[in-house]
Amino acid sequence: MEFGDLGGDMVGRIIIADDHPLFREGLRRIIQRVMTASIVEVTDTDSLLSEARKNEAPIMMLLDLVFPGFKGAETVADLRQAYPGSALVVISMTDDNKVAKEMIAAGANGFISKSVSPDEILLSINKIVEGEIVVCLDGDDAIGQSIVPNLSQRHIDVLVGIGQGKTNKEIARELGISPFTVRAHISAVFKSMGVSTRSAASAKAVLYGLI
């Protein structure tokens, strides 16, 4: 199941990974306003990985960037590979757009600054629940907006493959899907982005900081 297919009445587990108890509590309250789910709090990366392996994969993981054992984009990429159907949301004190793009390129569904208001965090998480890829930074005029409009995480993965010059067969093998499914995803990507060629799609991928 693609994460974008999940609705606001979803059930499942959400992991909040942050070593600051007050922030965890605040984030829990925000999450509970958006969806119904079992929320688990962890304080280090080992606990995060242990919890993620329990039962079914979590529907969402909210990850502090500066966190015991967390290795930034490397950890995000590992989690994306291990849990392709889970939404990965990095929530950090930094407002560095370059860092945000690195996390998105590694496979995160969203990057949210801790400096923004609870309402902005709520809006961003709600957009991620609906399948958007979101960057929300303090002082950003585009707060809460998708940096790649109307594309699900699977479509982002396909777009990155196109931008890297991979063939449909190579993308299919990497994502564990059929070449036919890749072609269908590419058609949807082209339509959503208003392009008609792989080179134009690649240019968009570079523009969005995915390549």
Side-chain angles (χ1 to χ4, degrees), residues 39-115:
I39 300 177
V40 180
E41 300 177 16
V42 298
T43 59
D44 58 60
T45 301
D46 286 343
S47 298
L48 166 66
L49 298 177
S50 177
E51 185 62 39
R53 286 191 290 265
K54 293 181 181 178
N55 304 316
E56 293 185 1
I59 58 176
M60 178 181 287
M61 291 182 251
L62 297 118
L63 313 165
D64 186 11
L65 188 59
V66 181
F67 185 65
F70 197 80
K71 299 179 180 178
E74 179 182 341
T75 300
V76 170
D78 289 344
L79 289 171
R80 172 51 61 217
Q81 182 174 8
Y83 304 99
S86 301
L88 306 178
V89 185
V90 177
I91 303 185
S92 173
M93 288 298 296
T94 183
D95 287 302
D96 189 330
N97 191 51
K98 180 180 179 180
V99 173
K101 287 185 176 182
E102 288 175 355
M103 296 304 109
I104 298 298
N109 298 78
F111 185 97
I112 304 172
S113 169
K114 289 185 177 181
S115 301

Side-chain angles (χ1 to χ4, degrees), residues 119-192:
D119 284 344
E120 289 167 334
I121 294 176
L122 176 64
L123 175 63
S124 296
I125 290 175
N126 195 49
K127 284 178 176 286
I128 292 167
V129 168
E130 293 173 351
E132 295 188 27
I133 306 297
V134 174
V135 170
C136 181
L137 305 177
D138 190 24
D140 190 341
D141 291 336
I143 280 177
Q145 296 182 2
S146 169
I147 64 168
V148 189
N150 304 318
L151 295 188
S152 68
Q153 181 59 49
R154 178 62 82 197
H155 288 168
I156 294 292
D157 294 338
V158 170
L159 177 59
V160 169
I162 293 172
Q164 293 172 339
K166 295 178 180 176
T167 66
N168 287 8
K169 287 185 178 180
E170 289 171 333
I171 295 172
R173 185 165 52 250
E174 183 174 292
L175 299 181
I177 58 180
S178 72
F180 176 81
T181 301
V182 171
R183 288 197 297 273
H185 284 319
I186 289 175
S187 295
V189 168
F190 283 8
K191 182 177 180 180
S192 294

